[in-house]
C-alpha cells in the first residue's frame, strides 16, 4: 500500500515536515500534485464549501487558482497530536482586476495511517490590501 511520509503518530519534527510539504505543494498551484497528498475519499470544508474526494479537490483547486492569481502561501504549525495537525496560514493573491488580498485562516488536518490527509477543515477570511503592503514578494 502506498504511503505519504512522514507517517503518524507525529512528533514535532515530523509535524513540521508535513506542514512544510503542504506549503511547498500548494505554492506550486498544481491541483494534480496537491491532490495526491489526500486520501481518495478525502473530506474538506473550505470556507462555506464541502468537497469530497480527490476529483472534487482537483476541480476546486483549479477554479481557486484561476481566480487567485500570483498566489503565495505561508503555513505555521499551531499544534499536533497522534494523527492530527493544526496550522495557521496566510496567503496573498490578486484578482483579474489587479486588486490584492491577504487571506488568513486556520486548518485542522486528520491523517490516515499511511500519511494521507483524510480530513481538512479550513476557516478563511480575506482582507483587501494595497500592493505596497504585500509581505510575500
Amino acid at each position: 500500500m502506498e504511503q505519504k511520509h512522514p507517517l503518524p503518530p507525529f512528533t514535532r519534527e515530523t509535524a513540521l515536515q508535513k506542514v512544510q510539504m503542504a506549503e511547498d505543494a500548494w505554492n506550486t498551484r498544481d491541483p494534480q500534485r496537491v491532490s495526491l497528498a489526500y486520501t481518495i475519499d478525502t473530506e474538506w470544508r473550505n470556507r462555506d464549501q464541502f468537497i469530497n474526494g480527490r476529483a472534487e479537490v482537483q476541480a476546486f483547486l483549479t477554479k481557486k487558482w484561476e481566480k487567485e492569481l500570483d498566489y503565495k502561501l505561508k503555513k505555521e504549525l499551531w499544534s499536533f497530536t497522534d494523527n492530527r495537525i493544526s496550522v495557521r496560514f496566510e496567503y496573498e493573491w490578486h484578482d483579474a482586476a489587479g486588486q490584492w488580498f491577504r487571506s488568513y485562516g486556520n486548518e485542522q488536518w486528520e491523517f490516515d495511517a499511511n500519511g494521507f490527509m483524510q480530513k481538512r477543515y479550513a476557516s478563511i477570511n480575506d482582507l483587501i490590501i494595497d500592493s505596497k503592503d504585500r509581505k510575500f514578494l
Side-chain angles (χ1 to χ4, degrees):
M1 180 167 269
E2 188 179 2
Q3 294 184 318
K4 186 79 169 170
H5 290 270
L7 305 177
F10 297 116
T11 64
R12 179 166 177 73
E13 179 181 319
T14 60
L16 286 167
Q17 281 181 294
K18 227 27 158 177
V19 171
Q20 188 62 58
M21 290 168 63
E23 178 182 307
D24 293 346
W26 279 66
N27 278 324
T28 69
R29 299 186 300 266
D30 179 344
Q32 171 68 24
R33 177 179 171 189
V34 172
S35 73
L36 295 177
Y38 301 91
T39 60
I40 295 292
D41 61 349
T42 191
E43 295 177 22
W44 284 23
R45 182 187 58 77
N46 194 88
R47 301 178 192 257
D48 62 348
Q49 292 183 291
F50 294 86
I51 302 155
N52 294 288
R54 278 189 189 163
E56 286 187 20
V57 166
Q58 289 176 16
F60 168 81
L61 292 174
T62 298
K63 187 175 177 180
K64 171 186 179 66
W65 290 320
E66 287 172 353
K67 175 187 172 195
E68 297 179 359
L69 305 174
D70 294 321
Y71 173 99
K72 178 68 176 168
L73 167 74
K74 295 296 289 175
K75 290 186 182 279
E76 176 186 0
L77 176 66
W78 196 256
S79 65
F80 67 94
T81 62
D82 294 335
N83 72 330
R84 292 179 174 170
I85 296 175
S86 291
V87 298
R88 69 161 292 283
F89 63 87
E90 56 187 311
Y91 61 91
E92 293 176 345
W93 57 281
H94 67 85
D95 62 16
Q99 176 61 62
W100 280 94
F101 297 84
R102 187 173 304 119
S103 300
Y104 297 93
N106 300 290
E107 292 176 318
Q108 280 49 262
W109 301 341
E110 183 178 271
F111 295 85
D112 71 5
N114 293 307
F116 291 91
M117 195 182 302
Q118 58 192 7
K119 294 183 181 176
R120 174 186 173 268
Y121 302 112
S123 298
I124 307 167
N125 298 300
D126 301 317
L127 176 68
I128 294 174
I129 61 171
D130 290 327
S131 63
K132 67 178 175 49
D133 296 324
R134 291 176 53 211
K135 294 165 62 174
F136 311 132
L137 302 176

